[in-house]
Amino acid sequence: MAKLHIKKGDTVYVNSGEDKGKTGRVLKVLVKKNRAIVEGINMVSKSTKPSAKNPQGGIIKQEASIHLSNLNPVDPKTGNPTRIGRKLVENANGKKTLVRYSKKSGEEIK
């Protein structure tokens, strides 16, 4: 299985769909389905039965998953969507680690 370009906590830009042009933070990545749940993006109405957590029940709004191909990480330097690359970087103690970086600015993505 290939490495994904998006991780939990990343700020992403939506390329297509109803929420095209919006940005949000990734709450969860569904690796097997190649989808992610993004804060405030792809909102759906869901009917719920009354429960201890929600004693009233009724209709609630929540985020639905969106396919990873419709998301691009946001460049930390410019704030614009960017493609991602991976490179080996040597730490201070001589250990090499694989880091993601922005293809536009070369800035490392944490």
Side-chain angles (χ1 to χ4, degrees):
M1 190 177 241
K3 280 210 177 248
L4 302 178
H5 63 289
I6 288 169
K7 288 184 181 178
K8 179 182 174 180
D10 283 356
T11 304
V12 292
Y13 173 87
V14 182
N15 290 326
S16 64
E18 198 176 297
D19 294 315
K20 181 178 181 174
K22 292 183 182 175
T23 58
R25 197 170 44 96
V26 177
L27 301 174
K28 189 175 188 180
V29 177
L30 309 168
V31 179
K32 286 184 180 172
K33 293 183 179 179
N34 258 349
R35 297 176 82 83
I37 296 173
V38 183
E39 199 172 36
I41 304 293
N42 201 17
M43 298 299 280
V44 293
S45 298
K46 186 180 174 199
S47 300
T48 55
K49 281 186 165 181
S51 65
K53 192 176 180 185
N54 188 8
Q56 193 64 40
I59 297 168
I60 59 164
K61 289 267 199 187
Q62 69 179 45
E63 292 97 350
S65 65
I66 184 167
H67 200 271
L68 292 177
S69 65
N70 298 328
L71 301 174
N72 259 23
V74 170
D75 192 326
K77 204 174 199 179
T78 62
N80 296 327
T82 180
R83 297 183 319 281
I84 272 198
R86 291 183 185 82
K87 61 183 174 185
L88 279 172
V89 174
E90 202 167 315
N91 292 8
N93 56 359
K95 192 166 184 168
K96 289 183 179 178
T97 54
L98 193 66
V99 294
R100 298 179 305 154
Y101 70 96
S102 163
K103 290 268 189 158
K104 278 192 177 174
S105 67
E107 193 82 8
E108 190 176 310
I109 296 176
K110 297 276 186 258

